[in-house]
Amino acid sequence: MTENKPGKVSMEKLVSLCQRRGFIFPSSDIYGGLSACWDYGPVGVELKRNIKEAWWRANVQERDDMVGLDTSILMNPKVWEASGHLTQFSDPLVECKSCHQRWRADDLKENKCPACGGELTDPQQFNLMFKTFMGPVEEAANVVYLRPETAQGIFVNFQNALNTSRKRLPFGVAQIGKAFRNEITTGNFIFRSREFEQMEIEFFVKPGTDDKWFDYWVEERLNWYTKLGIQKENIRLREHAKDELAHYSRKCFDIEYNFPMGWAELEGVANRGDFDLRQHMEYSGKGITCLDEESKQHIVPYVIEPSAGVDRSVLAVLCDAYDEEIVNDELRVLFHFHTDLAPIKVAILPLSRKENLSAVAKDVYADLRPCFVTQYDDTQAIGRRYRRQDELGTPYCVTVDFQSLEDKMATIRERDTMNQIRVPIAALRDTLQAKLAGEDLFVLPEGGQIWKEEKRGV
Ligand code: GAP
């Protein structure tokens, strides 16, 4: 649990950079914030969207055996009775008898208050679901809960999804959405908050094939992170001990990331068996089954659940991509985001604000904007503008200079290497499209050239 390890970003640095560059702000900042709630800024919202988009593409768009849903946050309270959350979704809470601070008992190493050393009360189970009231009357009959997981929206829609999509086992339902937990202890920036987003898959399989599908999903999900640039050495699997398993879970592996505060859960892959569907059958009185093609019998499938946190993925991507280096005796801070995740893909940087140059640069901007998230910046010296884009993790900067007026060419500067190529303006869009899809920077378009050596390293 050490901060400031060499080569690793500290949480303090990350929080400050994220605030300064518009990734993430404390919620309700002008009122002093709200504990464990965060807002995504102009750059952070793009990063978060890109992560969700990459997940949806890999798990829904590119698969034959998956459909999506978007279910409501407020659900019939019977859902939480059936799912077991009303009775089981709790953490042990202790209170200090001297300073009255509250703690999660299973987080404490010693049986005394970490703040003042005072004596603690006996643990009491504290339910983590947020309660509110439906309609104008605040009475017990109108209590509803903010969902603590998106999964239940999928289970109660199992028959709707199956009947309308005409899928057959094995098949999955995916959902991205907000979840809320009244966590006793929060912290580590966006790692544990009270309002967060999940990306969940409930993958329904024939009982007996569940172990095979469990292994499949663990592998699949690990690969998703590494394909998006997370370094293999920063990610690992940890199997839950029997006494750690959630009330619905037969088996669970955490995919853990090596965050600045240490290894911690990024995603859980669980075998929930038929617990949820059977509970909903019992509590709703409705049949929830599907046809097993082999036996021609109606069966209750088992479910494998890869459940990822959007905010934890954002945090892992930020930590993993963060880098510092010394260039020309100055510190360069950058994010090596995968091009699919980079919030801004291209920045247009005219060398000066002179009108004839601005006109060309704005034409380039207008041409590129419909294709990529593009930023136009004509403030400050060019070196400072490059550094700003490095801190935003922008893979490519396009510089328009006075020579561009004559030779109709512009310079593309690459974030990671700071190498530059000179490309005909007419070929910029296609070239950037190819580079963003992973083509080598030095594969030049017709008429392009490696930019002068002395211009490198800016
Ligand atoms: N449906 C299963 C489920 O909700 P979970 O392990 O409790 O399982 C899944 O949560 C994921 O949701 C976690 O791996 C984590 O990424 C994210 N998550 C859970 N609680 C969170 C919190 N308080 N703040 C941020 N993310 C959280």
Side-chain angles (χ1 to χ4, degrees), residues 187-201:
N188 288 318
F189 196 23
I190 52 173
F191 179 82
R192 179 167 286 115
S193 48
R194 296 198 167 99
E195 172 179 344
F196 55 95
E197 255 182 298
Q198 292 186 313
M199 305 182 281
E200 297 203 295
I201 294 166

Side-chain angles (χ1 to χ4, degrees), residues 277-334:
L277 294 185
R278 284 202 184 277
Q279 288 290 106
H280 287 305
M281 277 204 281
E282 188 186 329
Y283 279 73
S284 69
K286 304 268 164 51
I288 307 179
T289 58
C290 61
L291 186 72
D292 169 33
E293 300 288 328
E294 262 170 32
S295 65
K296 304 290 176 214
Q297 303 279 313
H298 279 272
I299 60 163
V300 182
Y302 274 20
V303 65
I304 307 301
E305 178 194 65
S307 170
V310 177
D311 311 83
R312 287 192 194 175
S313 299
V314 171
L315 186 59
V317 165
L318 285 167
C319 294
D320 218 80
Y322 182 92
D323 199 9
E324 292 177 354
E325 62 177 9
I326 301 294
V327 177
N328 302 335
D329 296 329
E330 274 186 39
L331 181 69
R332 178 169 97 110
V333 172
L334 70 157

Side-chain angles (χ1 to χ4, degrees), residues 339-340 396 431-439:
T339 48
D340 286 354
Y396 297 108
T431 309
L432 286 163
Q433 217 134 28
K435 306 291 173 214
L436 285 164
E439 205 176 277

Side-chain angles (χ1 to χ4, degrees), residues 50-60 174-176 199-201 221 224 228 267 306 308:
N50 292 342
I51 288 174
K52 291 192 279 187
E53 177 56 33
W55 185 90
W56 194 267
R57 171 183 271 278
N59 292 301
V60 183
Q175 164 156 243
I176 300 178
M199 305 182 281
E200 297 203 295
I201 294 166
R221 295 300 305 141
W224 184 77
L228 286 176
E267 167 164 354

